[in-house]
Amino acid sequence: MALGHAIMTALLEDDLSGYELARDFETSLGFFWQASHQQIYQELRKLSDKHWLSKREVSQRGKPNKIVYGMTRAGREALAEWVFGSTRTQAAKDDLLVKLYNLDSSNAGHLAGEITARREDMMRRLYLYEKIRRRHYSLPETLPTRRKGVYLALTMGIAQGEQFLAWCDEALELLATVTAESG
Amino acid sequence: MALGHAIMTALLEDDLSGYELARDFETSLGFFWQASHQQIYQELRKLSDKHWLSKREVSQRGKPNKIVYGMTRAGREALAEWVFGSTRTQAAKDDLLVKLYNLDSSNAGHLAGEITARREDMMRRLYLYEKIRRRHYSLPETLPTRRKGVYLALTMGIAQGEQFLAWCDEALELLATVTAESG
DNA sequence: GTTTATTATGCAAAACATTGCATATCAATA
DNA sequence: TATTGATATGCAATGTTTTGCATAATAAAC
């Protein structure tokens, strides 16, 4: 049940509503664990049924009411326990790579286009990552402990992203020779 | 329905039984799209119900009978069409990174252990990748088109894997300072 | 004042994945 | 001849994720 744990992780330091969680996920934990708002709302209900989260309704000026969730003691304990459990190596699933197994002269152009699009996505993401690093993680040695962990996750994202850009360039080069041959 | 497409991709050049597919997945396409044997058997039934795969029973000496699946014309068409569709950027899901967001002095040692284990997994996988590369992909320019695509997927796996090893080293170094501080 | 965008939450169905079990053939070994 | 291991296939239950739809409050723009 890792989505639940990801949500609790996001709630470690701030109480948030489902909407806020869904929005924040897009620019932080969601880099490493994506989830849709439907999933988040469902999971929040489950977690509060288990009393791992508490909830309270908050009235707002100029906006609909929201339901704000916060970690309970039991939630913190469950999360800490989960961290101590063991995870198996992540199952990779990337259909772009499966598609590459189908490369032929008729689809090489299309695949090059897909790679180009992904490359651009990754550029945007790297820009975000770097912005976050500059703002909040420029001196990793001096960070409080938890933030060092977040820093490492960010570092991972950056390194993988840069590697991906380099791979895209290599792939596009090879694909160009395929399309050229096909006339 | 990407699992179905991954299976059909594996059947592009050879007819295979469910058992053989499940086994082969572990050392080729499964690097990029993992699946259990239960999933594979279920999906094979669906695909043959749709007439995207044909099946025939094969008797063997010294082994139980097997059901061998092969691509139909309709299957090839459906697969080719799928390749031309667009995929969205892959949703990352890695609970090790979520766990890192929970770093504190009490779990730093455990997390370092998890990273070490993953590092070893990756070393083993890289060894496999390199073996495959040396054996079958040492001269990428001269490969037939489809194999060039497979080569690119392999290249991706290798580059990402090497990057991951480097990240692990960096992470372990930083984690060591955390555990040291905590006494 | 009507439309559009943002904030906010959710249901229901379908698709997909995991877990645990169940079965059966044949070869080799103890 | 009983057990173990590899081969071979599958069901059922549960859990997770995606997809499509639905609702509603308020602010801002037109």
Side-chain angles (χ1 to χ4, degrees), chain A residues 37-114:
Chain A
H37 81 267
Q38 289 92 336
Q39 255 182 294
I40 289 172
Y41 284 119
Q42 275 170 149
E43 195 66 37
L44 283 172
R45 184 142 10 90
K46 282 188 212 164
L47 292 171
S48 76
D49 285 352
K50 272 194 210 173
H51 305 292
W52 286 359
L53 295 181
S54 62
K55 62 174 172 181
R56 65 198 146 86
E57 196 161 347
V58 172
S59 314
Q60 302 182 98
R61 281 166 294 144
K63 290 175 187 179
N65 292 357
K66 63 183 175 180
I67 301 168
V68 171
Y69 294 86
M71 291 287 276
T72 62
R73 180 131 187 206
R76 281 178 203 277
E77 280 162 13
L79 182 59
E81 208 177 304
W82 172 76
V83 173
F84 267 94
S86 67
T87 48
R88 18 212 215 302
T89 293
Q90 196 48 30
K93 296 211 167 165
D94 192 335
D95 47 12
L96 180 57
L97 297 176
V98 176
K99 283 187 177 183
L100 276 176
Y101 272 66
N102 288 274
L103 179 66
D104 64 34
S105 58
S106 78
N107 60 29
H110 171 76
L111 289 174
E114 291 232 57

Side-chain angles (χ1 to χ4, degrees), chain B:
Chain B
M1 209 244 315
L3 173 58
H5 294 106
I7 287 173
M8 289 196 285
T9 297
L11 293 172
L12 265 180
E13 290 175 354
D14 283 311
D15 292 359
L16 296 169
S17 71
Y19 187 84
E20 290 162 343
L21 267 169
R23 196 192 41 202
D24 289 9
F25 252 57
E26 277 166 41
T27 52
S28 62
L29 252 184
F31 292 143
F32 313 114
W33 198 281
Q34 285 193 346
S36 66
H37 81 267
Q38 290 91 336
Q39 254 183 294
I40 288 173
Y41 285 120
Q42 274 171 143
E43 195 67 37
L44 283 171
R45 182 141 13 89
K46 282 188 213 163
L47 291 170
S48 76
D49 286 352
K50 270 194 209 171
H51 305 290
W52 285 0
L53 295 181
S54 62
K55 62 173 170 181
R56 66 201 147 86
E57 197 160 350
V58 173
S59 314
Q60 301 183 100
R61 282 165 295 146
K63 289 176 189 177
N65 292 358
K66 62 183 178 180
I67 301 167
V68 171
Y69 294 85
M71 290 287 277
T72 62
R73 178 132 189 205
R76 281 177 203 278
E77 279 164 12
L79 183 59
E81 208 177 303
W82 172 74
V83 174
F84 267 95
S86 66
T87 49
R88 19 215 214 302
T89 294
Q90 197 47 27
K93 296 211 166 164
D94 192 335
D95 46 13
L96 180 57
L97 298 176
V98 176
K99 284 185 177 184
L100 277 176
Y101 272 67
N102 288 273
L103 177 66
D104 63 35
S105 58
S106 77
N107 59 29
H110 171 75
L111 289 173
E114 290 233 58
I115 290 171
T116 304
R118 287 246 187 142
R119 195 184 189 288
E120 279 160 19
D121 279 357
M122 186 52 83
M123 293 269 284
R124 272 188 287 278
R125 170 159 294 198
L126 274 173
Y127 179 77
L128 245 178
Y129 283 153
E130 288 290 1
K131 200 158 116 185
I132 295 170
R133 172 153 73 175
R134 273 198 314 277
R135 279 211 197 144
H136 305 291
Y137 299 94
S138 56
L139 292 169
E141 315 286 315
T142 68
L143 294 167
T145 302
R146 191 191 308 291
R147 298 278 302 288
K148 282 186 185 169
V150 179
Y151 166 78
L152 284 177
L154 186 64
T155 298
M156 173 80 180
I158 291 173
Q160 287 240 321
E162 284 172 351
Q163 189 279 305
F164 182 71
L165 293 188
W167 177 82
C168 286
D169 292 336
E170 187 195 323
L172 288 171
E173 224 172 285
L174 188 62
L175 287 181
T177 71
V178 171
T179 14
E181 276 161 23
S182 79

Side-chain angles (χ1 to χ4, degrees), chain A residues 175-183:
Chain A
L175 287 180
T177 71
V178 171
T179 14
E181 276 161 25
S182 81

